[in-house]
Amino acid sequence: MLRLLLLRHAKSGWPPGILDVDRPLAQRGQEAALVMGDYLKRERLEPDLAIVSPARRTQETWERVQPILGEIEMRQDGRIYEAPVGRLLEIVREVEPKIGTLLLVGHNPGFEELAKLLIGEGDMDSILRLGQKYPSAGLAVIDFELESWGDVAKKTGQLERFVTPKSLGNGEDD
């Protein structure tokens, strides 16, 4: 079985004169990233590999999550930034089969579109909430009864859960 974790970056700020790729996390985003890191650890959702967008807000999200989880291989992949769903699927399919749990840290709308593309079944409440909004620091956990990431395709996944800082009792979703 393979498990894909899609973690959208936490809430970012938009200081004047800053390019989108350079936007830092807002204070609320810094706190939300820690909440999600604690959740991943508590729920034993530690990935074998994290692939992270080079955008500052995704890097800062990972910098807060990673120390909670411990030593995890991380690859930065510029293709995640502003990626359409097809490119995200390509990144997933390239992952070597020895990786059982893969974490992507990136952006919307690509993550929401990828989750919707891959989910064939799963927890209905989570599917409905994901369909309404994929907020900052949202986490989709998608399981596949497949042997290889190269076999991941439309509707082959099962949404095991979808959690957000708000659903964990920590503030509002952005």
Side-chain angles (χ1 to χ4, degrees), residues 118-153:
L118 297 178
I119 296 167
E121 57 185 50
D123 177 71
M124 280 311 293
D125 179 58
S126 292
I127 291 171
L128 290 172
R129 286 188 303 108
L130 186 148
Q132 292 171 352
K133 185 177 184 180
Y134 201 124
S136 299
L139 173 71
V141 179
I142 306 170
D143 292 332
F144 302 90
E145 295 204 23
L146 301 169
E147 298 293 320
S148 169
W149 290 103
D151 296 330
V152 170

PDB file of all heavy atoms in Angstrom, residues 118-153:
ATOM      1  N   LEU A 118      -7.518  12.116  -7.827  1.00  0.00           N
ATOM      2  CA  LEU A 118      -7.056  10.808  -7.361  1.00  0.00           C
ATOM      3  C   LEU A 118      -8.077  10.048  -6.525  1.00  0.00           C
ATOM      4  O   LEU A 118      -8.068   8.821  -6.500  1.00  0.00           O
ATOM      5  CB  LEU A 118      -5.766  10.964  -6.554  1.00  0.00           C
ATOM      6  CG  LEU A 118      -4.562  11.506  -7.318  1.00  0.00           C
ATOM      7  CD1 LEU A 118      -3.377  11.658  -6.379  1.00  0.00           C
ATOM      8  CD2 LEU A 118      -4.212  10.614  -8.499  1.00  0.00           C
ATOM      9  N   ILE A 119      -8.954  10.765  -5.835  1.00  0.00           N
ATOM     10  CA  ILE A 119      -9.868  10.107  -4.894  1.00  0.00           C
ATOM     11  C   ILE A 119     -11.009   9.414  -5.632  1.00  0.00           C
ATOM     12  O   ILE A 119     -11.799  10.051  -6.331  1.00  0.00           O
ATOM     13  CB  ILE A 119     -10.429  11.128  -3.890  1.00  0.00           C
ATOM     14  CG1 ILE A 119      -9.287  11.683  -3.024  1.00  0.00           C
ATOM     15  CG2 ILE A 119     -11.514  10.499  -3.025  1.00  0.00           C
ATOM     16  CD1 ILE A 119      -9.670  12.911  -2.232  1.00  0.00           C
ATOM     17  N   GLY A 120     -11.086   8.098  -5.448  1.00  0.00           N
ATOM     18  CA  GLY A 120     -12.175   7.317  -6.011  1.00  0.00           C
ATOM     19  C   GLY A 120     -13.210   6.951  -4.970  1.00  0.00           C
ATOM     20  O   GLY A 120     -14.369   6.713  -5.279  1.00  0.00           O
ATOM     21  N   GLU A 121     -12.774   6.898  -3.713  1.00  0.00           N
ATOM     22  CA  GLU A 121     -13.665   6.566  -2.603  1.00  0.00           C
ATOM     23  C   GLU A 121     -13.030   7.085  -1.326  1.00  0.00           C
ATOM     24  O   GLU A 121     -11.941   7.633  -1.349  1.00  0.00           O
ATOM     25  CB  GLU A 121     -13.893   5.058  -2.518  1.00  0.00           C
ATOM     26  CG  GLU A 121     -12.618   4.247  -2.382  1.00  0.00           C
ATOM     27  CD  GLU A 121     -12.877   2.757  -2.425  1.00  0.00           C
ATOM     28  OE1 GLU A 121     -13.570   2.300  -3.343  1.00  0.00           O
ATOM     29  OE2 GLU A 121     -12.365   2.078  -1.520  1.00  0.00           O
ATOM     30  N   GLY A 122     -13.735   6.886  -0.220  1.00  0.00           N
ATOM     31  CA  GLY A 122     -13.164   7.300   1.053  1.00  0.00           C
ATOM     32  C   GLY A 122     -14.199   7.852   2.000  1.00  0.00           C
ATOM     33  O   GLY A 122     -15.409   7.746   1.768  1.00  0.00           O
ATOM     34  N   ASP A 123     -13.707   8.462   3.066  1.00  0.00           N
ATOM     35  CA  ASP A 123     -14.553   9.044   4.097  1.00  0.00           C
ATOM     36  C   ASP A 123     -15.395  10.171   3.495  1.00  0.00           C
ATOM     37  O   ASP A 123     -14.855  11.180   3.053  1.00  0.00           O
ATOM     38  CB  ASP A 123     -13.664   9.564   5.234  1.00  0.00           C
ATOM     39  CG  ASP A 123     -14.468  10.245   6.312  1.00  0.00           C
ATOM     40  OD1 ASP A 123     -15.185   9.543   7.047  1.00  0.00           O
ATOM     41  OD2 ASP A 123     -14.379  11.494   6.395  1.00  0.00           O
ATOM     42  N   MET A 124     -16.707   9.984   3.482  1.00  0.00           N
ATOM     43  CA  MET A 124     -17.599  10.940   2.797  1.00  0.00           C
ATOM     44  C   MET A 124     -17.553  12.330   3.412  1.00  0.00           C
ATOM     45  O   MET A 124     -17.572  13.330   2.695  1.00  0.00           O
ATOM     46  CB  MET A 124     -19.035  10.416   2.773  1.00  0.00           C
ATOM     47  CG  MET A 124     -19.280   9.384   1.684  1.00  0.00           C
ATOM     48  SD  MET A 124     -18.684   9.889   0.027  1.00  0.00           S
ATOM     49  CE  MET A 124     -19.767  11.234  -0.351  1.00  0.00           C
ATOM     50  N   ASP A 125     -17.497  12.418   4.736  1.00  0.00           N
ATOM     51  CA  ASP A 125     -17.422  13.723   5.380  1.00  0.00           C
ATOM     52  C   ASP A 125     -16.160  14.460   4.921  1.00  0.00           C
ATOM     53  O   ASP A 125     -16.203  15.643   4.585  1.00  0.00           O
ATOM     54  CB  ASP A 125     -17.439  13.578   6.907  1.00  0.00           C
ATOM     55  CG  ASP A 125     -17.343  14.915   7.598  1.00  0.00           C
ATOM     56  OD1 ASP A 125     -18.201  15.786   7.359  1.00  0.00           O
ATOM     57  OD2 ASP A 125     -16.374  15.106   8.377  1.00  0.00           O
ATOM     58  N   SER A 126     -15.044  13.749   4.881  1.00  0.00           N
ATOM     59  CA  SER A 126     -13.785  14.359   4.439  1.00  0.00           C
ATOM     60  C   SER A 126     -13.844  14.762   2.973  1.00  0.00           C
ATOM     61  O   SER A 126     -13.355  15.831   2.596  1.00  0.00           O
ATOM     62  CB  SER A 126     -12.613  13.388   4.662  1.00  0.00           C
ATOM     63  OG  SER A 126     -12.377  13.201   6.032  1.00  0.00           O
ATOM     64  N   ILE A 127     -14.449  13.918   2.144  1.00  0.00           N
ATOM     65  CA  ILE A 127     -14.579  14.238   0.719  1.00  0.00           C
ATOM     66  C   ILE A 127     -15.406  15.511   0.532  1.00  0.00           C
ATOM     67  O   ILE A 127     -15.045  16.396  -0.253  1.00  0.00           O
ATOM     68  CB  ILE A 127     -15.184  13.054  -0.064  1.00  0.00           C
ATOM     69  CG1 ILE A 127     -14.174  11.893  -0.116  1.00  0.00           C
ATOM     70  CG2 ILE A 127     -15.594  13.484  -1.473  1.00  0.00           C
ATOM     71  CD1 ILE A 127     -14.731  10.600  -0.672  1.00  0.00           C
ATOM     72  N   LEU A 128     -16.496  15.626   1.275  1.00  0.00           N
ATOM     73  CA  LEU A 128     -17.346  16.815   1.168  1.00  0.00           C
ATOM     74  C   LEU A 128     -16.612  18.070   1.645  1.00  0.00           C
ATOM     75  O   LEU A 128     -16.675  19.113   0.991  1.00  0.00           O
ATOM     76  CB  LEU A 128     -18.635  16.623   1.972  1.00  0.00           C
ATOM     77  CG  LEU A 128     -19.615  15.597   1.406  1.00  0.00           C
ATOM     78  CD1 LEU A 128     -20.761  15.350   2.385  1.00  0.00           C
ATOM     79  CD2 LEU A 128     -20.155  16.053   0.054  1.00  0.00           C
ATOM     80  N   ARG A 129     -15.900  17.980   2.762  1.00  0.00           N
ATOM     81  CA  ARG A 129     -15.167  19.146   3.270  1.00  0.00           C
ATOM     82  C   ARG A 129     -14.053  19.555   2.319  1.00  0.00           C
ATOM     83  O   ARG A 129     -13.841  20.734   2.064  1.00  0.00           O
ATOM     84  CB  ARG A 129     -14.607  18.868   4.672  1.00  0.00           C
ATOM     85  CG  ARG A 129     -15.672  18.890   5.746  1.00  0.00           C
ATOM     86  CD  ARG A 129     -15.139  18.815   7.175  1.00  0.00           C
ATOM     87  NE  ARG A 129     -14.316  17.643   7.414  1.00  0.00           N
ATOM     88  CZ  ARG A 129     -12.989  17.667   7.575  1.00  0.00           C
ATOM     89  NH1 ARG A 129     -12.342  18.795   7.535  1.00  0.00           N
ATOM     90  NH2 ARG A 129     -12.319  16.558   7.792  1.00  0.00           N
ATOM     91  N   LEU A 130     -13.342  18.580   1.768  1.00  0.00           N
ATOM     92  CA  LEU A 130     -12.273  18.880   0.813  1.00  0.00           C
ATOM     93  C   LEU A 130     -12.864  19.560  -0.422  1.00  0.00           C
ATOM     94  O   LEU A 130     -12.263  20.485  -0.971  1.00  0.00           O
ATOM     95  CB  LEU A 130     -11.539  17.601   0.425  1.00  0.00           C
ATOM     96  CG  LEU A 130     -10.313  17.758  -0.456  1.00  0.00           C
ATOM     97  CD1 LEU A 130      -9.303  16.674  -0.123  1.00  0.00           C
ATOM     98  CD2 LEU A 130     -10.635  17.716  -1.919  1.00  0.00           C
ATOM     99  N   GLY A 131     -14.036  19.130  -0.842  1.00  0.00           N
ATOM    100  CA  GLY A 131     -14.666  19.704  -2.017  1.00  0.00           C
ATOM    101  C   GLY A 131     -15.141  21.133  -1.817  1.00  0.00           C
ATOM    102  O   GLY A 131     -15.278  21.894  -2.774  1.00  0.00           O
ATOM    103  N   GLN A 132     -15.382  21.504  -0.572  1.00  0.00           N
ATOM    104  CA  GLN A 132     -15.835  22.865  -0.277  1.00  0.00           C
ATOM    105  C   GLN A 132     -14.679  23.848  -0.214  1.00  0.00           C
ATOM    106  O   GLN A 132     -14.787  24.981  -0.659  1.00  0.00           O
ATOM    107  CB  GLN A 132     -16.603  22.895   1.047  1.00  0.00           C
ATOM    108  CG  GLN A 132     -17.919  22.164   0.973  1.00  0.00           C
ATOM    109  CD  GLN A 132     -18.565  22.018   2.340  1.00  0.00           C
ATOM    110  OE1 GLN A 132     -17.974  22.321   3.372  1.00  0.00           O
ATOM    111  NE2 GLN A 132     -19.787  21.535   2.340  1.00  0.00           N
ATOM    112  N   LYS A 133     -13.553  23.407   0.374  1.00  0.00           N
ATOM    113  CA  LYS A 133     -12.412  24.307   0.548  1.00  0.00           C
ATOM    114  C   LYS A 133     -11.202  23.488   0.966  1.00  0.00           C
ATOM    115  O   LYS A 133     -11.304  22.578   1.775  1.00  0.00           O
ATOM    116  CB  LYS A 133     -12.735  25.339   1.632  1.00  0.00           C
ATOM    117  CG  LYS A 133     -11.676  26.391   1.826  1.00  0.00           C
ATOM    118  CD  LYS A 133     -12.126  27.400   2.879  1.00  0.00           C
ATOM    119  CE  LYS A 133     -11.099  28.512   2.992  1.00  0.00           C
ATOM    120  NZ  LYS A 133     -11.483  29.508   3.994  1.00  0.00           N
ATOM    121  N   TYR A 134     -10.036  23.837   0.404  1.00  0.00           N
ATOM    122  CA  TYR A 134      -8.763  23.216   0.794  1.00  0.00           C
ATOM    123  C   TYR A 134      -7.924  24.348   1.386  1.00  0.00           C
ATOM    124  O   TYR A 134      -7.108  24.965   0.703  1.00  0.00           O
ATOM    125  CB  TYR A 134      -8.071  22.600  -0.422  1.00  0.00           C
ATOM    126  CG  TYR A 134      -7.054  21.526  -0.111  1.00  0.00           C
ATOM    127  CD1 TYR A 134      -7.170  20.267  -0.665  1.00  0.00           C
ATOM    128  CD2 TYR A 134      -5.960  21.780   0.707  1.00  0.00           C
ATOM    129  CE1 TYR A 134      -6.232  19.278  -0.413  1.00  0.00           C
ATOM    130  CE2 TYR A 134      -5.017  20.796   0.973  1.00  0.00           C
ATOM    131  CZ  TYR A 134      -5.160  19.556   0.412  1.00  0.00           C
ATOM    132  OH  TYR A 134      -4.222  18.577   0.670  1.00  0.00           O
ATOM    133  N   PRO A 135      -8.142  24.656   2.664  1.00  0.00           N
ATOM    134  CA  PRO A 135      -7.525  25.844   3.258  1.00  0.00           C
ATOM    135  C   PRO A 135      -6.023  25.698   3.494  1.00  0.00           C
ATOM    136  O   PRO A 135      -5.463  24.601   3.408  1.00  0.00           O
ATOM    137  CB  PRO A 135      -8.269  25.987   4.586  1.00  0.00           C
ATOM    138  CG  PRO A 135      -8.653  24.599   4.940  1.00  0.00           C
ATOM    139  CD  PRO A 135      -8.956  23.921   3.620  1.00  0.00           C
ATOM    140  N   SER A 136      -5.408  26.802   3.839  1.00  0.00           N
ATOM    141  CA  SER A 136      -4.001  26.801   4.217  1.00  0.00           C
ATOM    142  C   SER A 136      -3.783  25.784   5.327  1.00  0.00           C
ATOM    143  O   SER A 136      -4.609  25.650   6.228  1.00  0.00           O
ATOM    144  CB  SER A 136      -3.586  28.188   4.722  1.00  0.00           C
ATOM    145  OG  SER A 136      -3.759  29.150   3.723  1.00  0.00           O
ATOM    146  N   ALA A 137      -2.680  25.046   5.241  1.00  0.00           N
ATOM    147  CA  ALA A 137      -2.292  24.002   6.200  1.00  0.00           C
ATOM    148  C   ALA A 137      -3.249  22.804   6.179  1.00  0.00           C
ATOM    149  O   ALA A 137      -3.185  21.957   7.061  1.00  0.00           O
ATOM    150  CB  ALA A 137      -2.129  24.554   7.615  1.00  0.00           C
ATOM    151  N   GLY A 138      -4.104  22.715   5.170  1.00  0.00           N
ATOM    152  CA  GLY A 138      -4.962  21.546   5.028  1.00  0.00           C
ATOM    153  C   GLY A 138      -4.137  20.319   4.649  1.00  0.00           C
ATOM    154  O   GLY A 138      -3.143  20.434   3.920  1.00  0.00           O
ATOM    155  N   LEU A 139      -4.554  19.163   5.146  1.00  0.00           N
ATOM    156  CA  LEU A 139      -3.829  17.910   4.910  1.00  0.00           C
ATOM    157  C   LEU A 139      -4.787  16.839   4.419  1.00  0.00           C
ATOM    158  O   LEU A 139      -5.732  16.474   5.125  1.00  0.00           O
ATOM    159  CB  LEU A 139      -3.165  17.423   6.208  1.00  0.00           C
ATOM    160  CG  LEU A 139      -2.519  16.037   6.152  1.00  0.00           C
ATOM    161  CD1 LEU A 139      -1.242  16.068   5.301  1.00  0.00           C
ATOM    162  CD2 LEU A 139      -2.220  15.535   7.563  1.00  0.00           C
ATOM    163  N   ALA A 140      -4.547  16.341   3.218  1.00  0.00           N
ATOM    164  CA  ALA A 140      -5.292  15.197   2.683  1.00  0.00           C
ATOM    165  C   ALA A 140      -4.398  13.965   2.793  1.00  0.00           C
ATOM    166  O   ALA A 140      -3.222  14.014   2.436  1.00  0.00           O
ATOM    167  CB  ALA A 140      -5.682  15.439   1.224  1.00  0.00           C
ATOM    168  N   VAL A 141      -4.973  12.876   3.295  1.00  0.00           N
ATOM    169  CA  VAL A 141      -4.266  11.598   3.410  1.00  0.00           C
ATOM    170  C   VAL A 141      -4.970  10.632   2.455  1.00  0.00           C
ATOM    171  O   VAL A 141      -6.125  10.276   2.668  1.00  0.00           O
ATOM    172  CB  VAL A 141      -4.297  11.061   4.859  1.00  0.00           C
ATOM    173  CG1 VAL A 141      -3.589   9.717   4.949  1.00  0.00           C
ATOM    174  CG2 VAL A 141      -3.685  12.079   5.817  1.00  0.00           C
ATOM    175  N   ILE A 142      -4.256  10.245   1.394  1.00  0.00           N
ATOM    176  CA  ILE A 142      -4.840   9.418   0.338  1.00  0.00           C
ATOM    177  C   ILE A 142      -4.063   8.116   0.254  1.00  0.00           C
ATOM    178  O   ILE A 142      -2.845   8.117   0.072  1.00  0.00           O
ATOM    179  CB  ILE A 142      -4.807  10.156  -1.022  1.00  0.00           C
ATOM    180  CG1 ILE A 142      -5.479  11.523  -0.903  1.00  0.00           C
ATOM    181  CG2 ILE A 142      -5.474   9.302  -2.104  1.00  0.00           C
ATOM    182  CD1 ILE A 142      -5.299  12.419  -2.115  1.00  0.00           C
ATOM    183  N   ASP A 143      -4.777   7.002   0.379  1.00  0.00           N
ATOM    184  CA  ASP A 143      -4.166   5.676   0.319  1.00  0.00           C
ATOM    185  C   ASP A 143      -4.423   5.028  -1.040  1.00  0.00           C
ATOM    186  O   ASP A 143      -5.490   5.225  -1.637  1.00  0.00           O
ATOM    187  CB  ASP A 143      -4.728   4.769   1.421  1.00  0.00           C
ATOM    188  CG  ASP A 143      -4.299   5.211   2.811  1.00  0.00           C
ATOM    189  OD1 ASP A 143      -3.225   5.821   2.944  1.00  0.00           O
ATOM    190  OD2 ASP A 143      -5.049   4.938   3.772  1.00  0.00           O
ATOM    191  N   PHE A 144      -3.443   4.238  -1.482  1.00  0.00           N
ATOM    192  CA  PHE A 144      -3.532   3.528  -2.754  1.00  0.00           C
ATOM    193  C   PHE A 144      -3.178   2.069  -2.533  1.00  0.00           C
ATOM    194  O   PHE A 144      -2.143   1.778  -1.922  1.00  0.00           O
ATOM    195  CB  PHE A 144      -2.546   4.112  -3.783  1.00  0.00           C
ATOM    196  CG  PHE A 144      -2.751   5.570  -4.068  1.00  0.00           C
ATOM    197  CD1 PHE A 144      -2.101   6.535  -3.316  1.00  0.00           C
ATOM    198  CD2 PHE A 144      -3.604   5.973  -5.080  1.00  0.00           C
ATOM    199  CE1 PHE A 144      -2.284   7.878  -3.566  1.00  0.00           C
ATOM    200  CE2 PHE A 144      -3.795   7.323  -5.346  1.00  0.00           C
ATOM    201  CZ  PHE A 144      -3.138   8.276  -4.583  1.00  0.00           C
ATOM    202  N   GLU A 145      -3.983   1.179  -3.025  1.00  0.00           N
ATOM    203  CA  GLU A 145      -3.651  -0.248  -2.968  1.00  0.00           C
ATOM    204  C   GLU A 145      -2.900  -0.604  -4.244  1.00  0.00           C
ATOM    205  O   GLU A 145      -3.390  -1.351  -5.083  1.00  0.00           O
ATOM    206  CB  GLU A 145      -4.917  -1.070  -2.775  1.00  0.00           C
ATOM    207  CG  GLU A 145      -5.557  -0.795  -1.431  1.00  0.00           C
ATOM    208  CD  GLU A 145      -6.426  -1.915  -0.939  1.00  0.00           C
ATOM    209  OE1 GLU A 145      -6.240  -3.066  -1.379  1.00  0.00           O
ATOM    210  OE2 GLU A 145      -7.284  -1.616  -0.102  1.00  0.00           O
ATOM    211  N   LEU A 146      -1.706  -0.007  -4.343  1.00  0.00           N
ATOM    212  CA  LEU A 146      -0.847  -0.158  -5.516  1.00  0.00           C
ATOM    213  C   LEU A 146       0.563  -0.481  -5.050  1.00  0.00           C
ATOM    214  O   LEU A 146       0.932  -0.184  -3.917  1.00  0.00           O
ATOM    215  CB  LEU A 146      -0.830   1.139  -6.334  1.00  0.00           C
ATOM    216  CG  LEU A 146      -2.173   1.663  -6.859  1.00  0.00           C
ATOM    217  CD1 LEU A 146      -2.016   3.073  -7.413  1.00  0.00           C
ATOM    218  CD2 LEU A 146      -2.716   0.727  -7.924  1.00  0.00           C
ATOM    219  N   GLU A 147       1.351  -1.041  -5.939  1.00  0.00           N
ATOM    220  CA  GLU A 147       2.744  -1.380  -5.626  1.00  0.00           C
ATOM    221  C   GLU A 147       3.715  -0.286  -6.042  1.00  0.00           C
ATOM    222  O   GLU A 147       4.817  -0.204  -5.508  1.00  0.00           O
ATOM    223  CB  GLU A 147       3.124  -2.689  -6.344  1.00  0.00           C
ATOM    224  CG  GLU A 147       2.310  -3.889  -5.908  1.00  0.00           C
ATOM    225  CD  GLU A 147       2.580  -4.286  -4.469  1.00  0.00           C
ATOM    226  OE1 GLU A 147       3.754  -4.238  -4.051  1.00  0.00           O
ATOM    227  OE2 GLU A 147       1.613  -4.621  -3.763  1.00  0.00           O
ATOM    228  N   SER A 148       3.329   0.527  -7.009  1.00  0.00           N
ATOM    229  CA  SER A 148       4.252   1.502  -7.578  1.00  0.00           C
ATOM    230  C   SER A 148       3.570   2.858  -7.734  1.00  0.00           C
ATOM    231  O   SER A 148       2.404   2.933  -8.145  1.00  0.00           O
ATOM    232  CB  SER A 148       4.720   1.007  -8.953  1.00  0.00           C
ATOM    233  OG  SER A 148       5.416   2.023  -9.637  1.00  0.00           O
ATOM    234  N   TRP A 149       4.317   3.912  -7.440  1.00  0.00           N
ATOM    235  CA  TRP A 149       3.786   5.258  -7.637  1.00  0.00           C
ATOM    236  C   TRP A 149       3.481   5.508  -9.114  1.00  0.00           C
ATOM    237  O   TRP A 149       2.597   6.290  -9.440  1.00  0.00           O
ATOM    238  CB  TRP A 149       4.780   6.295  -7.108  1.00  0.00           C
ATOM    239  CG  TRP A 149       4.881   6.276  -5.621  1.00  0.00           C
ATOM    240  CD1 TRP A 149       5.880   5.722  -4.864  1.00  0.00           C
ATOM    241  CD2 TRP A 149       3.933   6.807  -4.689  1.00  0.00           C
ATOM    242  NE1 TRP A 149       5.609   5.881  -3.535  1.00  0.00           N
ATOM    243  CE2 TRP A 149       4.423   6.555  -3.391  1.00  0.00           C
ATOM    244  CE3 TRP A 149       2.719   7.480  -4.819  1.00  0.00           C
ATOM    245  CZ2 TRP A 149       3.750   6.939  -2.243  1.00  0.00           C
ATOM    246  CZ3 TRP A 149       2.043   7.875  -3.672  1.00  0.00           C
ATOM    247  CH2 TRP A 149       2.555   7.596  -2.403  1.00  0.00           C
ATOM    248  N   GLY A 150       4.166   4.815  -9.988  1.00  0.00           N
ATOM    249  CA  GLY A 150       3.915   4.954 -11.414  1.00  0.00           C
ATOM    250  C   GLY A 150       2.526   4.501 -11.826  1.00  0.00           C
ATOM    251  O   GLY A 150       2.044   4.856 -12.902  1.00  0.00           O
ATOM    252  N   ASP A 151       1.858   3.715 -10.972  1.00  0.00           N
ATOM    253  CA  ASP A 151       0.505   3.233 -11.257  1.00  0.00           C
ATOM    254  C   ASP A 151      -0.593   4.155 -10.741  1.00  0.00           C
ATOM    255  O   ASP A 151      -1.780   3.906 -10.969  1.00  0.00           O
ATOM    256  CB  ASP A 151       0.308   1.832 -10.650  1.00  0.00           C
ATOM    257  CG  ASP A 151       1.220   0.802 -11.277  1.00  0.00           C
ATOM    258  OD1 ASP A 151       1.567   0.958 -12.468  1.00  0.00           O
ATOM    259  OD2 ASP A 151       1.591  -0.160 -10.574  1.00  0.00           O
ATOM    260  N   VAL A 152      -0.219   5.202 -10.013  1.00  0.00           N
ATOM    261  CA  VAL A 152      -1.217   6.136  -9.491  1.00  0.00           C
ATOM    262  C   VAL A 152      -1.915   6.817 -10.665  1.00  0.00           C
ATOM    263  O   VAL A 152      -1.270   7.319 -11.584  1.00  0.00           O
ATOM    264  CB  VAL A 152      -0.557   7.171  -8.553  1.00  0.00           C
ATOM    265  CG1 VAL A 152      -1.530   8.278  -8.198  1.00  0.00           C
ATOM    266  CG2 VAL A 152      -0.034   6.488  -7.292  1.00  0.00           C
ATOM    267  N   ALA A 153      -3.243   6.785 -10.633  1.00  0.00           N
ATOM    268  CA  ALA A 153      -4.034   7.344 -11.731  1.00  0.00           C
ATOM    269  C   ALA A 153      -5.363   7.868 -11.188  1.00  0.00           C
ATOM    270  O   ALA A 153      -5.672   7.703  -9.999  1.00  0.00           O
ATOM    271  CB  ALA A 153      -4.274   6.265 -12.794  1.00  0.00           C
TER     272      ALA A 153
END
